[in-house]
Amino acid sequence: MAEADAFPAALAVTVTQLLPALGSSRAHPPFAVYQNGEALLIPTRTYYDRERLLACTRLAGDAGVIALCLGTRHHDGHLREACARQLLLQERAWTVPFVVHLCGGYVLEMVEIIGAALPAWNTQALARYLRDNRAYVATLERRSISYWSCYYRHQYPVWDDYPGRRTMAALRALQELTPR
């Protein structure tokens, strides 16, 4: 399954064991990023059965966290948000691509939740990921501008007041952190 390419090779066994429990899902074309030198292909959307996915998110260890990651790509925005909230409680470096992708999204509530969590969440792994994916972060920033212009300009007439802009600025600041 394509979802296996969304995670580092070190998780291959766990992902392979988890995917049958999730059932089948068609997936939209993936977006490509790098993490710790590994190319990852993360689906833009998944269509797992909601109850099966939720049951898998309650599994212990990495399997439950992998299910949360895939849940952040789910077609149901409410489920995406619930999974993102739980994922922000994790400190595994390999969860970073799933959270960061939501920062360039159109669901402002999720952008705000993530933006508020960024200063204290997985800082070193996040900074490295952002440095390794500069072009991708630029794409997220362009998306954020487009969503503001199309959907939120009336609510936030000044770009600097838009929560998506503040979240992207926080990502850019983290991107410039000096590695330890």
Side-chain angles (χ1 to χ4, degrees):
M1 289 184 137
E3 290 90 334
D5 296 328
F7 298 94
L11 295 170
V13 171
T14 306
V15 173
T16 301
Q17 291 171 344
L18 175 68
L19 289 177
L22 286 169
S24 66
S25 170
R26 67 185 199 279
H28 286 211
F31 59 93
V33 292
Y34 291 92
Q35 187 171 40
N36 298 330
E38 283 188 72
L40 304 177
L41 296 172
I42 299 175
T44 53
R45 282 286 176 265
T46 60
Y47 295 86
Y48 294 111
D49 175 78
R50 178 184 176 84
E51 296 311 313
R52 287 179 84 160
L53 178 63
L54 286 171
C56 289
T57 65
R58 292 187 286 272
L59 294 171
D62 288 342
V65 180
I66 290 167
L68 286 173
C69 288
L70 292 172
T72 68
R73 311 308 326 127
H74 199 269
H75 67 96
D76 178 333
H78 296 288
L79 184 55
R80 271 197 319 275
E81 181 180 342
C83 290
R85 284 179 182 272
Q86 291 180 54
L87 207 51
L88 287 168
L89 302 175
Q90 303 297 320
E91 289 293 324
R92 293 165 170 89
W94 50 267
T95 64
V96 169
F98 295 90
V99 172
V100 169
H101 189 72
L102 296 169
C103 293
Y106 60 89
V107 181
L108 196 55
E109 294 81 4
M110 265 194 279
V111 172
E112 290 175 311
I113 291 164
I114 294 166
L118 284 178
W121 184 73
N122 224 348
T123 306
Q124 290 304 314
L126 185 54
R128 180 174 180 182
Y129 174 76
L130 296 168
R131 283 191 303 275
D132 290 347
N133 293 281
R134 289 183 184 278
Y136 170 72
V137 174
T139 297
L140 291 180
E141 193 163 34
R142 287 189 299 274
R143 280 189 197 144
S144 182
I145 292 167
S146 292
Y147 288 132
W148 167 72
S149 182
C150 187
Y151 300 114
Y152 296 108
R153 186 176 276 213
H154 65 281
Q155 187 177 353
Y156 298 96
V158 177
W159 166 242
D160 285 343
D161 295 339
Y162 178 57
R165 195 234 27 105
R166 290 194 302 268
T167 299
M168 291 310 303
L171 289 178
R172 290 294 194 179
L174 286 165
Q175 192 174 45
E176 300 310 317
L177 283 180
T178 305
R180 289 184 195 181

